[in-house]
Amino acid sequence: MMGHQATRRELFVMISLDEYVPEDHLLRAVDRYLDLSEFRLCLADSYSHTGRPSIDPELLARMLIIGYCYGIRSERRLCEEVGMNLAYRWFCRLGLRDKVPDHSSFSKNRHGRFRDHDAFRQLFDSVLRRCMAEGLVQGEGFATDASMIKADVQRQRSRSGDTDIDWGDPAQASRPVREYLAALEQANPVSPPKRISLTDPSATWTAAAGPAIFAYSTNYLIDLKVGVIVDVEASAVTKTAEVEATKTMINRVEEKYAMKPRRLVGDTNYGVAAMLGWLVDEKGIAPHVPVWDKSEHHDGTFSRTDFTFDAANNRYVCPAGKYLKPAQRSQQKNPFRYRASLYDCQVCQLKPRCCPNMIIRKIDRSPHEPARDVARAIGKTPAYRESRRERKKVEMLFAHLKRILKLRQLRLRGPSGAHDEFLLAATVQNLRRMAKNLIPTRRNENLVMS
């Protein structure tokens, strides 16, 4: 017999939100490892001791974590979802009758007290310390990489980089423009970019991933044990900026947590001579990085690797047994250029294979060549092959960032906006990493004990 649902209107209903949130829900696991007490203390100075109570900053932080955890990019939609979803209300400590904050509160707090106190950096650090306390960070090996995130600008609102742009009164300009003008005053003169956005001048015009767009780079430094993010930094979409961001992150982690890895894993972008010299000579870190080297020849002529460097006598030995020494006349222009003797090259039978289009053979040696040799030697070891496999963990984090958290395009503008968004996304990824790696283990332990 077909059933019929009878609608009964109950005047009073006693329910508990805790009963409607499953035990294996993601937010339960995240809530177990989330401690916002330090977040409140960080913002205490920005609130008055008198007057009407404001919205709890912990509530705003929990709502933002939900938004980044489930890829809810719109703050207006986030407020609607928190109002309707029982699990979201439970995580935010809201009852059924409690009012959800208005979406405008996020903008005022994000661009105001949250940014003035760098609250999201403090939140990221507190979650990272919890990861370290749970044993998810080993500190033996780090991996680094960068990924491009599209800026919240339109291509039509841009000008050529060599055009004189009148930004008007800086006091009346938008926040991204003020940040750009302040950075120009502090930075050394650089070549103008190809194009500059009038909406977000700090965004980089790049065609690295297809049609040219304005974008920022998010730089990750991760621990290789389980892939916990130990630091994150926003930068321009250039190789130089990304390398400098990695240096900043390594120094910051060492300063904050007294933790320095024995090896750093990265792609060819981090294999430039200056970076390798900094890792080996200054930091004592083994570079598990491919060397950026354009000295190899593929036309049948001798490459630089065919020449042996005699460090004791500061000279190169060619395949014919002759010497390439530093040229006295070129010492001021290029002190690391080595030249063969004209008399040796002219009568050498190997000249067609050595320098067929030059009178003599010349070799430029980088001042960081010993560090490059260290990286080349590491590249031939089984440990290097294992590091190349482990580097996929940082690539997986970027895929998770764009596909699951849906951070393909920024909503906030300017370097500070990119800084806040990247920090929040990395914080959520670390929280999810703890939930994934610790909750199943403890469940198994409880099953064994019972």
Side-chain angles (χ1 to χ4, degrees), residues 60-224:
L60 296 177
R62 287 180 175 272
M63 291 180 65
L64 284 172
I65 288 174
I66 290 175
Y68 279 82
C69 194
Y70 289 97
I72 304 175
R73 303 292 298 141
S74 169
E75 294 168 356
R76 188 186 297 269
R77 180 168 170 258
L78 174 61
C79 295
E80 296 174 354
E81 292 289 338
V82 171
M84 295 185 294
N85 192 301
L86 296 181
Y88 294 173
R89 280 186 171 271
W90 173 87
F91 182 77
C92 294
R93 309 293 194 264
L94 292 173
L96 287 177
R97 294 182 178 273
D98 291 333
K99 185 179 179 181
V100 179
D102 188 78
H103 64 89
S104 61
S105 301
F106 289 97
S107 298
K108 291 186 177 180
N109 283 276
R110 272 187 164 185
H111 302 316
R113 54 176 62 96
F114 284 5
R115 184 162 296 161
D116 294 339
H117 292 264
D118 205 5
F120 296 131
R121 169 63 67 178
Q122 186 280 328
L123 178 60
F124 173 83
D125 290 342
S126 66
V127 172
L128 176 59
R129 285 194 295 269
R130 183 60 186 269
C131 292
M132 297 171 66
E134 296 290 343
L136 298 181
V137 178
Q138 187 176 9
E140 184 274 334
F142 286 174
T144 183
D145 205 353
S147 183
M148 187 177 65
I149 306 295
K150 185 179 179 182
D152 184 27
V153 298
Q154 294 181 351
R155 298 176 58 180
Q156 293 78 8
R157 289 274 300 166
S158 64
R159 297 289 185 272
S160 176
D162 54 3
T163 303
D164 292 332
I165 301 176
D166 182 13
W167 298 104
D169 184 6
Q172 303 296 325
S174 63
R175 178 183 51 79
V177 173
R178 294 198 303 270
E179 292 179 356
Y180 171 74
L181 295 178
L184 283 182
E185 295 179 357
Q186 299 177 1
N188 296 325
V190 295
S191 58
K194 187 174 182 180
R195 294 198 69 81
I196 185 170
S197 170
L198 301 180
T199 307
D200 188 355
S202 299
T204 306
W205 177 256
T206 177
I213 58 172
F214 288 101
Y216 287 91
S217 276
T218 174
N219 300 268
Y220 277 6
L221 185 69
I222 72 165
D223 184 83
L224 289 174

